[in-house]
Amino acid sequence: SGPPLCVAEVRFQLLGIDAKHLNASLQEELAAAFSGRLARLVDVPPSAVRDNFGSAGGVTFANTSADGLLAFAFVDLPAGHTLAQVRDRLSSQAVRGPIVASFEAVEQENGGPAGWAAGALL
């Protein structure tokens, strides 16, 4: 059967996002939007998505050497959820739209430059 709780590490590379546009306030908004979308996509409560400091409802962003940003989170998977299910759900092309939409919504609310949040999702 396995442990009562598994933890999945989820990483997305977001290309075409200029990290200079991400001040602390904007990062908080993006983290909330991204973690909420991630929770819905994986079918867990938002509190099950944590940043690298363990804060619920969070995502950690890091610059990459390429033109982009790395977003990563840890997802607490309750009994009945498997790592394979998470991988399958998040590797689908259908995931790109909702994740990019999270960034675009925050971009529009904050008057960001057109297109900085609509980069390619790997």
Side-chain angles (χ1 to χ4, degrees), residues 5 9 16 22-24 26-28 35-36 40 44 48 54-55 59 61 64 73-74 78 86 93 99 101 105 108 117:
L5 178 72
E9 181 179 3
L22 299 179
N23 60 37
L26 190 53
Q27 281 189 27
E28 288 178 26
S35 65
R40 285 190 294 280
V44 296
S55 299
V59 172
F61 297 109
T64 65
F74 299 91
V86 171
Q93 282 298 95
I99 296 296
Q108 289 175 356

Side-chain angles (χ1 to χ4, degrees), residues 11-19 21-22 34 61-71 96 99-100 103-104 107 113-122:
R11 294 178 183 223
F12 287 99
Q13 186 173 5
L14 303 144
L15 301 176
I17 295 177
D18 188 346
H21 293 289
L22 299 179
F34 188 90
F61 297 109
N63 290 326
T64 65
S65 58
D67 177 32
L69 201 63
L70 179 66
R96 183 184 184 280
I99 296 296
V100 170
F103 282 84
E104 288 176 336
E107 171 189 36
W116 73 262
L121 176 66
L122 300 179

Side-chain angles (χ1 to χ4, degrees), residues 2 5 7 25 33 38 41-43 46-47 84 90 101:
L5 178 72
V7 178
S25 175
L38 182 57
L41 289 165
V42 180
D43 192 28
S47 61
L90 296 180

